Amino acid sequence: MRININFLQTGGVPLTNDLMATIMDAILTYNVLGDLAGNLTIISGCTITGQNVSPGVVIIDGDVLYFEGGTIVSTVYVHTEEFTKTFQDTTDKVLIIKKTVKFGSGATNHNWDDFIRLSTLKELQIELDGKADQTQVDNHEDRLIVLEKKTAPIINGGIVWAWFKPVAEIPAGWKECTNVRGKTIVGWNPNDNDFSTIGNSGGSKTVQLTVGQLPKIKFQYTRTLPWAAGSSGGFGGGGNQFNISTQDTNELGNNTPINIMIPHTIAAFIEPNF
């Protein structure tokens, strides 16, 4: 709706109630700016210099209001002033209600820090021109989908990484995976009972060999036997006899466990904690 009122005419303009109602409708149309801007916004002026704010125009609860400015305090309020006039029927009535925003306290207060200065349409257009277009947004979305798939083991848990810094420096969102301390990680194999259950532990740093684990070996030695049974004994059949007994050889080895550790580098393992 667009209203043009041509007051500058000769003959006397009739200031009727209909004309005044039309003027009020035109004025109320400007309050649409309040709905467009949003509550507690600055649409003009209100420049801050040190501890002072210049006059300007603000939006409060959908009303476009003049702000008188002044020394900054924490809250502002809407000051309402009524002007009474004597009508033609000699009765006094409120004709004008003037609302002004001021620093201070009133029936309803608003925090000054909650007010936001709106950018101009030109500034918004310049910002929009520098933003990504829909194709770029779609490309970023596709990349995010791929990234989510790649990072799913981290987000959902179940993954550990080697950490080569002190445990005290593990970053936020991560924690040490303590159940792999002093252990290596072996691949899962459903066809081998030793490696078919995820989370199972096994193995040791050393092994103590048993007799059954020793390699097969033979010792060659020279033996001396008496003459055949029924002979008169001795090496040549004489009267000397052998003194036969069983003797143990000297012990070899110290029964020390064998170190079977592979060459390694020490690291802590960390897992997601978010």
Side-chain angles (χ1 to χ4, degrees), residues 67-250:
F67 178 65
E68 69 175 19
T71 302
I72 297 175
V73 296
S74 60
T75 60
V76 300
Y77 72 102
V78 179
H79 174 76
T80 302
E81 188 176 2
E82 296 181 347
F83 295 89
T84 301
K85 298 294 181 180
T86 301
F87 283 60
Q88 290 182 353
D89 62 358
T90 69
T91 59
D92 293 335
K93 300 178 183 179
V94 175
L95 180 63
I96 301 172
I97 300 176
K98 181 181 179 181
K99 293 183 178 181
T100 306
V101 180
K102 299 184 177 185
F103 278 118
S105 299
T108 302
N109 299 318
H110 307 278
N111 292 326
W112 172 244
D113 289 340
D114 292 339
F115 282 80
I116 298 175
R117 182 181 302 278
L118 296 182
S119 300
T120 65
L121 293 177
K122 180 178 179 180
E123 290 170 338
L124 291 175
Q125 186 61 53
I126 292 174
E127 289 185 15
L128 287 174
D129 290 342
K131 302 296 183 182
D133 58 28
Q134 189 60 47
T135 300
Q136 292 172 315
V137 172
D138 292 340
N139 289 338
H140 282 296
E141 184 177 1
D142 293 340
R143 293 173 63 185
L144 284 174
I145 292 174
V146 174
L147 183 60
E148 287 177 349
K149 291 180 179 179
K150 290 184 176 181
T151 58
I154 299 176
I155 297 173
N156 299 327
I159 190 172
V160 295
W161 282 350
W163 177 255
F164 288 95
K165 289 185 177 182
V167 173
E169 297 180 14
I170 294 175
W174 294 81
K175 66 178 180 178
E176 182 192 2
C177 184
T178 56
N179 61 341
V180 293
R181 283 183 175 179
K183 299 177 182 178
T184 57
I185 298 176
V186 179
W188 172 72
N189 184 354
N191 300 317
D192 188 330
N193 289 335
D194 288 332
F195 309 114
S196 61
T197 302
I198 293 178
N200 274 6
S201 297
S204 62
K205 294 190 294 184
T206 61
V207 62
Q208 186 76 49
L209 293 178
T210 64
V211 173
Q213 293 171 323
L214 293 174
K216 291 183 178 181
I217 188 171
K218 291 182 179 180
F219 293 95
Q220 189 177 59
Y221 64 95
T222 302
R223 63 181 180 175
T224 302
L225 298 176
W227 290 93
S231 66
S232 58
F235 284 99
N240 295 325
Q241 301 294 319
F242 288 106
N243 182 12
I244 301 174
S245 63
T246 301
Q247 299 291 326
D248 293 331
T249 63
N250 293 334

